[in-house]
Amino acid sequence: MIERRKLLKVGASGIVASVAAPFVGRTGWAAAPAHTLKLTFADTQSHPLYDVLKRFSEDVSKRTSGAVEIQVFSIGQLGSGTNILTGLQTGIIDFCAHTSGFIDTIFPKFQVVDLPFLFSDSESAERLLDGPTGAKLLDMLPSKGIYGLGYGHWGWRVVSTIDRKVPEPSDMKGLKIRVQPGAIFAATFRALAASPVAIDLTEVYLALSQRVIDAVETPMISLAATKHDEIVNTINMTNQVYNVGVMMASKAKFDALPKDAQEAIRAASINLTKDWRTTIAARSDEVAQRYKAKGMAIVEVNREDYRKATESVYPQFKDIIGADLYDAVLKEAGHG
């Protein structure tokens, strides 16, 4: 792990914990909000999800006539990616939008959506998430002190490297790559003979610049938000994971809200899902075009051979996920 005191030496182009004031959404507001709540998410304020969450905050304020004020914080302001979930469980944080890779650490069954090369396209992923299986996953979260309010999308995870093209699975051998903390991510890249390293997002810029790691596996859109595109110059279009995002609430804090406020937040969460997905899709296309125009190498890979090379990961997690859920997801995803 990169020492935080070293991270703070990074200049303006690096990623450090944001000290900007949180966004506060108020529309049609009452004399003073009766409930002021904190929402944080697992990325920087440069990420397009920040604007999506501001619109969610405004929607909640409008639906409650200003009685509920939601302040939006970015990663680092209320804790690291891992600490965000701990804060949600204890009630220190009221809401968060986070990735499945971090949810996996407290709720291992969620790893089912992060099985490598599970989904062939966004439509099949969203059909599963919006159906009974997706609802079943969210219904399991209250046992961890969390409510799942809805799904979003962080983008397809790709492998971005410093100088290295990996069109074939064999090209991954020895690659030092940052992964999310969920065990399934490390297992996937070990199956490819790479060297996975779990590093918090706020520390990745320095790790790349000092060549502690050679690559990151994040959605392409995150490269722009975190300025990792200042260091990496090759994007390998592996699309190994449809990176599920989840809007979550602290169960204790949510239960303490009036019923009408709860209903307003749940209704706003339905709008959030559509806004989140469409915004990320549009902005991902914009980033891809910008990178191509910039001359960054965009490498198509042999996804079928990658899929075969990571098949050994599946049985490792079947018992952890549970056979019934595992079998249902693979069937719905059309994964042979």
Side-chain angles (χ1 to χ4, degrees):
M1 184 66 70
I2 305 300
E3 294 181 17
R4 193 164 298 278
R5 61 178 178 273
K6 291 182 180 179
L7 175 67
L8 296 177
K9 295 179 181 179
V10 180
S13 62
I15 300 302
V16 298
S18 173
V19 294
F23 171 81
V24 178
R26 291 189 193 175
T27 56
W29 42 302
H35 307 278
T36 300
L37 306 168
K38 299 184 183 71
L39 185 163
T40 188
F41 72 110
D43 227 302
T44 71
Q45 289 186 8
S46 297
H47 195 283
L49 181 55
Y50 183 60
D51 289 330
V52 173
L53 295 177
K54 287 194 296 183
R55 291 192 288 271
F56 169 75
S57 171
E58 291 166 346
D59 191 10
V60 171
S61 180
K62 183 177 180 179
R63 289 173 184 273
T64 61
S65 299
V68 177
E69 174 186 283
I70 295 181
Q71 300 175 343
V72 183
F73 297 83
S74 57
I75 192 168
Q77 290 184 305
L78 299 182
S80 67
T82 302
N83 291 340
I84 287 173
L85 286 173
T86 303
L88 198 69
Q89 289 179 296
T90 60
I92 295 173
I93 295 172
D94 305 305
F95 300 94
C96 83
H98 219 325
T99 69
S100 50
F102 280 82
I103 299 170
D104 295 348
T105 63
I106 64 167
F107 188 63
K109 288 182 180 294
F110 225 93
Q111 292 176 107
V112 70
V113 298
D114 291 327
L115 287 165
F117 303 97
L118 174 66
F119 298 113
S120 59
D121 52 39
S122 296
E123 289 73 19
S124 59
E126 290 163 10
R127 186 165 54 248
L128 182 145
L129 294 170
D130 295 341
T133 300
K136 183 177 180 180
L137 282 169
L138 295 185
D139 288 344
M140 294 176 182
L141 286 177
S143 65
K144 301 296 182 182
I146 293 170
Y147 284 131
L149 301 179
Y151 290 107
H153 188 207
W154 239 272
W156 288 91
R157 298 186 79 83
V158 297
V159 175
S160 302
T161 61
I162 306 173
D163 301 324
R164 188 162 170 179
K165 296 180 180 180
V166 292
E168 300 292 336
S170 58
D171 298 321
M172 293 286 295
K173 186 175 182 179
L175 186 73
K176 293 178 292 184
I177 184 167
R178 180 265 179 180
V179 297
Q180 290 196 77
I184 201 164
F185 291 88
T188 295
F189 285 94
R190 281 197 298 267
L192 296 168
S195 298
V197 183
I199 300 174
D200 192 74
L201 183 67
T202 57
E203 301 178 345
V204 172
Y205 188 96
L206 185 60
L208 283 168
S209 62
Q210 294 187 346
R211 297 301 293 261
V212 173
I213 53 175
D214 307 308
V216 291
E217 55 90 34
T218 59
M220 190 188 304
I221 199 168
S222 293
L223 294 177
T226 55
K227 299 188 185 299
H228 296 162
D229 54 2
E230 295 179 352
I231 305 172
V232 302
N233 56 28
T234 302
I235 300 174
N236 299 276
M237 301 297 289
T238 46
N239 285 16
Q240 71 272 14
V241 171
Y242 172 96
N243 199 183
V244 176
V246 184
M247 170 59 78
M248 293 171 284
S250 166
K251 183 178 184 299
K253 298 298 281 290
F254 194 82
D255 286 344
L257 292 171
K259 292 297 182 183
D260 57 345
Q262 294 180 21
E263 292 171 0
I265 292 167
R266 288 191 180 277
S269 296
I270 294 173
N271 287 344
L272 170 69
T273 289
K274 182 178 180 180
D275 190 7
W276 190 344
R277 288 173 177 170
T278 56
T279 297
I280 294 301
R283 293 293 295 274
S284 293
D285 288 343
E286 291 173 12
V287 168
Q289 293 304 315
R290 188 167 78 242
Y291 285 162
K292 288 177 182 178
K294 179 182 175 182
M296 188 175 287
I298 309 293
V299 181
E300 295 298 330
V301 308
N302 187 336
R303 292 191 79 251
E304 179 58 22
D305 280 1
Y306 265 98
R307 187 188 67 79
K308 292 177 181 178
T310 55
E311 282 182 342
S312 62
V313 174
Y314 280 62
Q316 296 177 44
F317 292 88
K318 183 172 183 176
D319 289 343
I320 296 171
I321 293 165
D324 290 346
L325 179 61
Y326 175 94
D327 291 340
V329 168
L330 264 61
K331 182 179 180 179
E332 286 187 57
H335 189 91

